[in-house]
Amino acid sequence: MDKKELARYLELAKELRLKIVDVMTWSGGAHIGGSLSIVEILVMLYFKYLNIDPRNPKWEDRDRFVLSKGHAAAGFIPALAMKGYFPEDELQSFNHFKSPFAMHPDTNKVIGCDASAGSLGHGLPMALGMGLGARYQKKGFKTVCLMGDGECCEGSVWEAAMAISNFKLTNVIPIVDRNHFMIDGDTEDVMALEPFADKWKAFGFEVLQINGNDIAQVDDALSRAWKMTVPTMILADTVKGKGVDFMEGNVKWHYAAADSELCQKSKDSIMKEYEEAVRCLQ
Amino acid sequence: MSTVTGTTWNCYDSATMTPREIYGRTLAELAKTNDKIVGLTADLEKTTAMIHFAKAFPDRFFNVGIAEQDMFGAAAGLAKTGLIPFASTMAAFASMRACEQVRTDICYQNLPVKIIATHAGISFGHAGTTHHCTEDLAIMRSMANMTVIAPADGIETSRAVRACMDIPGPVYIRIGRGFEPPCYKDESYDFKIGKAVEMREGKDLTIICCGIAVLQSVLAAKQLEEQDGLSVRVINMHTIKPIDKDAIMKAVTETRRILTIEEHNVIGGLGDAVGSVIAESGKGCVFRKHGMQDCFSEIGYAEDLYSYYGFDADGIIDKVRQMMGLEFEADENWEDE
Ligand SMILES: Cc1ncc(C[n+]2csc(CCOP(=O)(O)OP(=O)(O)O)c2C)c(N)n1
């Protein structure tokens, strides 16, 4: 990826982070940590890889995206707005009465959302079905499913993983946001996932382990996954709360609300990190 | 950090004790004198307030990660070794995700597993439909051996947690998000599983309710007395199963009008439980079920949704007024008349 392209994605990532902080402020509370950790993944999917058309959200041949870690709606829904599915100012209604936007994304209400989510462990089975459906109907679309690492405690994740591998589906791309935290603490303290990559390998996957907050690495992994001829998943090591220095890697920021002061402080931190990244580019 | 509103974390700094908070502490207290009590959660030890138990008894507390089916299966296993497991997660996951584990592993084997289901009804409104639960009373009622309780507030939750120790089989206790205002002042009232509490006397109409609707019904009844001169009885039917038939039949014969209120679908929950008692008795009365009218809830903070769906005093007053206009068939042959 050349510098110009990288600069564009860096800027989009910064924009998305700022919107996430806005949503945290407007909504009265959001899953901020796990929304910030997936920003680079969302940006690369929505602005480079997914073959979608915001003017035709139900287009049959579109690539599908399932946000299985539905609590990251505060990251996902602003990304849809940035992509042009609906006006960005609608985000101000987040969580409020009769809003289409809640803490978890609702396919009946959010334009561009391919599957309702929020109860963890539902996404990968649905992605499996979408992959089987595409293959049977000879459609070329891909289905990407983004899960939390804590979410992988759910047995249904592994039931679907087993099936994706059994059916040799290469049109379904599971991504795990390995930010190391669930609600009650570090995954390794609450319910150990390691050796995590080996588990996916044992289930028959080619594992692409990357730094999921590094745009170039996310780009590289997605471009490879898109072309793979064997079932492939992306294990994205990320930082929970990425981009807001005082939230990074701190379990306390799984979910939070913000007043205007906290909002500003968070945005300042995002801008600082962004400017630093831009400086490094030059 | 600024204060967090409407979140699962608020129980930390809330000045008044929320249902979650109280039961968490009550449980920890009970466990001091009973080493058979063990605790389980699925990555929600803070959210469900199991943390008090977890901190006090780390050796008999198990956080299984985000794996509710595993949790209820394991609770059954623990019970089979002679222990009394208290397992807590959100109502949607307890009643639906792990439904078969609860039914087959716990109820069919009639094991003393006590389920504390939080965020029931539409109390977690802004979380969206995946986190609403207006089906659990229907699901749990239909399981043989299960006792189903929907306490009115934190104090009653605490009573229920203590009382369920006397039940040899499984118990399902459903509570809200934990922000519900208190209904009782203290624990010094007569609480017995299966025995309804008359919150207010009345002869024109009886409201039979549970959960958050109890406080609101009491408020509504007061206003109806002042504004309309109506005498409205309020019955807190905290135990949905086994249901207190005597209290229902007394209301049928004495008030001839019954309104049930539940933060649940009107299909399969409290209203239907009360309705079948009335129908089987063969006695007629004006009967209405107030609750979610077989629909999924809108998104929004609980307070807004409660007023939208008429679960607040104003909404209840409207319902009562509508019912007062309805006539019941006079029946001279009633032996108790
Ligand atoms: C089935 C189910 N159980 C419990 C929850 C409550 N919950 C919401 S977020 C969360 C932790 C998720 O951890 P992880 O998947 O690692 O997400 P992240 O850390 O990226 O936010 C839990 C337990 C849920 N949403 N669904």
Side-chain angles (χ1 to χ4, degrees):
Chain A
M1 190 188 291
D2 65 25
K3 275 187 182 176
K4 205 171 136 234
E5 206 189 343
L6 187 53
R8 176 170 169 256
Y9 295 128
L10 273 178
E11 161 135 38
L12 284 165
K14 177 230 1 169
E15 282 306 311
L16 181 51
R17 286 205 161 85
L18 294 176
K19 289 214 166 53
I20 291 172
V21 170
D22 278 332
V23 165
M24 164 173 77
T25 315
W26 292 327
S27 63
H31 287 90
I32 184 78
S35 294
L36 289 170
S37 62
I38 58 171
V39 163
E40 283 75 14
I41 295 167
L42 288 171
V43 163
M44 295 317 290
L45 283 171
Y46 274 88
F47 292 92
K48 182 158 180 183
Y49 285 91
L50 292 178
N51 183 21
I52 46 179
D53 177 5
R55 282 158 310 175
N56 189 5
K58 300 258 179 218
W59 173 41
E60 280 180 15
D61 295 324
R62 72 188 185 283
D63 288 334
R64 309 298 203 269
F65 175 68
V66 179
L67 181 76
S68 192
K69 47 171 280 183
H71 57 280
F76 171 52
I77 293 175
L80 293 178
M82 280 168 67
K83 185 71 184 175
Y85 282 96
F86 41 82
E88 289 184 9
D89 60 8
E90 285 183 13
L91 294 173
Q92 299 201 30
S93 75
F94 224 98
N95 278 2
H96 294 291
F97 184 52
K98 284 199 176 177
S99 170
F101 314 129
M103 265 157 86
H104 304 91
D106 185 330
T107 192
N108 298 327
K109 296 177 176 141
V110 183
I111 302 166
C113 169
D114 290 320
S116 294
S119 178
L120 295 166
H122 285 237
L124 200 57
M126 282 194 277
L128 159 70
M130 292 175 187
L132 289 171
R135 186 163 75 182
Y136 165 62
Q137 297 174 86
K138 301 202 168 40
K139 288 186 182 290
F141 68 79
K142 302 271 185 200
T143 301
V144 177
C145 176
L146 180 55
M147 290 169 283
D149 48 1
E151 181 181 3
C152 293
C153 295
E154 292 284 3
S156 53
V157 169
W158 300 99
E159 293 170 26
M162 190 181 318
I164 290 168
S165 149
N166 175 72
F167 293 123
K168 300 187 174 55
L169 289 180
T170 53
N171 59 0
V172 177
I173 304 170
I175 305 179
V176 174
D177 173 25
R178 181 73 174 115
N179 63 27
H180 254 274
F181 288 100
M182 40 219 236
I183 294 185
D184 286 341
D186 191 308
T187 57
E188 300 317 287
D189 298 331
V190 180
M191 183 54 59
L193 295 168
E194 296 295 342
F196 199 32
D198 288 347
K199 288 192 169 110
W200 285 97
K201 284 179 198 153
F203 271 73
F205 283 82
E206 182 75 29
V207 176
L208 306 178
Q209 189 159 9
I210 56 158
N211 174 348
N213 293 129
D214 182 302
I215 284 169
Q217 288 192 37
V218 175
D219 182 41
D220 180 56
L222 285 172
S223 80
R224 285 169 61 197
W226 236 255
K227 295 188 293 253
M228 289 297 276
T229 51
V230 292
T232 301
M233 65 83 64
I234 298 173
L235 186 52
D237 288 318
T238 64
V239 173
K240 198 155 175 171
K242 177 71 184 170
V244 179
D245 52 8
F246 56 92
M247 293 184 186
E248 288 187 0
N250 183 342
V251 69
K252 154 177 159 191
W253 294 96
H254 175 77
Y255 184 99
D259 53 16
S260 56
E261 193 187 327
L262 180 63
C263 173
Q264 196 52 52
K265 211 173 128 202
S266 309
K267 286 184 173 178
D268 290 347
S269 176
I270 290 167
M271 287 311 293
K272 207 171 129 216
E273 194 178 301
Y274 169 68
E275 278 153 19
E276 183 62 34
V278 172
R279 230 187 332 271
C280 290
L281 255 191
Q282 281 140 14
Chain B
M1 189 185 151
S2 59
T3 44
V4 178
T5 50
T7 77
T8 53
W9 302 97
N10 222 23
C11 54
Y12 282 149
D13 33 49
S14 74
T16 54
M17 297 251 277
T18 67
R20 266 186 281 144
E21 196 71 354
I22 297 188
Y23 99 72
R25 288 175 198 269
T26 304
L27 187 58
E29 201 188 297
L30 275 177
K32 275 187 203 151
T33 54
N34 187 337
D35 61 4
K36 298 274 189 218
I37 294 179
V38 294
L40 293 125
T41 192
D43 192 33
L44 291 174
E45 65 181 34
K46 297 179 195 113
T47 316
T48 61
M50 281 301 261
I51 190 138
H52 301 295
F53 183 95
K55 282 205 170 132
F57 306 102
D59 59 328
R60 42 181 163 131
F61 178 75
F62 312 101
N63 189 337
V64 298
I66 311 167
E68 296 77 11
Q69 302 178 51
D70 186 31
M71 175 171 76
F72 286 106
L78 283 159
K80 276 179 170 287
T81 69
L83 298 168
I84 304 170
F86 277 76
S88 189
T89 183
M90 293 182 191
F93 313 137
S95 65
M96 297 185 283
R97 181 53 151 277
C99 185
E100 197 192 349
Q101 275 77 10
V102 172
R103 183 265 194 186
T104 302
D105 304 349
I106 296 171
C107 288
Y108 178 50
Q109 304 192 85
N110 204 6
L111 296 169
V113 175
K114 318 298 175 188
I115 301 169
I116 317 274
T118 66
H119 299 74
I122 50 173
S123 62
F124 210 9
H126 59 291
T129 311
T130 55
H131 285 59
H132 300 165
C133 188
T134 52
E135 300 87 0
D136 58 336
L137 295 178
I139 294 168
M140 292 298 163
R141 259 184 83 218
S142 70
M143 294 187 189
N145 293 334
M146 184 64 102
T147 296
V148 182
I149 307 176
D153 69 355
I155 285 167
E156 193 158 83
T157 304
S158 178
R159 295 297 304 264
V161 166
R162 283 179 220 284
C164 76
M165 291 296 294
D166 300 330
I167 304 267
V171 178
Y172 181 83
I173 300 177
R174 109 183 292 233
I175 61 179
R177 184 182 43 156
F179 294 88
E180 301 73 21
C183 187
Y184 292 100
K185 279 195 225 40
D186 51 49
E187 289 199 27
S188 65
Y189 72 101
D190 187 26
F191 179 89
K192 239 183 106 212
I193 291 177
K195 178 109 186 53
V197 182
E198 188 174 288
M199 308 297 290
R200 241 183 114 84
E201 290 179 1
K203 53 181 180 20
D204 295 327
L205 179 145
T206 301
I207 298 175
I208 301 182
C209 51
C210 62
I212 53 133
V214 177
L215 175 64
Q216 297 305 319
S217 298
V218 169
L219 296 174
K222 274 188 197 146
Q223 283 193 48
L224 283 161
E225 171 154 62
E226 285 157 16
Q227 294 168 12
D228 301 24
L230 282 177
S231 155
V232 174
R233 182 180 301 182
V234 178
I235 289 180
N236 171 10
M237 193 63 79
H238 51 67
T239 308
I240 316 299
K241 184 185 163 194
I243 197 129
D244 186 345
K245 290 185 183 164
D246 294 343
I248 299 170
M249 287 320 298
K250 203 162 160 277
V252 172
T253 49
E254 292 174 6
T255 70
R256 302 295 303 267
R257 285 188 174 85
I258 292 183
L259 171 65
T260 59
I261 311 180
E262 62 200 307
E263 189 186 344
H264 187 273
N265 195 340
V266 288
I267 295 179
L270 172 71
D272 277 359
V274 172
S276 26
V277 171
I278 300 172
E280 285 182 1
S281 77
K283 301 199 165 167
C285 74
V286 176
F287 176 64
R288 288 288 180 276
K289 298 184 290 186
H290 181 29
M292 300 301 291
Q293 298 296 329
D294 201 20
C295 61
F296 288 105
S297 170
E298 294 284 350
I299 287 163
Y301 278 96
E303 306 72 52
D304 294 327
L305 297 179
Y306 289 155
S307 79
Y308 180 68
Y309 290 108
F311 292 127
D312 59 356
D314 286 346
I316 295 170
I317 288 171
D318 280 350
K319 293 275 174 253
V320 170
R321 285 185 178 146
Q322 284 165 26
M323 281 180 74
M324 290 314 295
L326 302 173
E327 274 313 311
F328 52 84
E329 202 178 316
D331 187 342
E332 304 306 329
N333 297 329
W334 279 25
E335 47 203 57
D336 9 25
E337 274 182 343

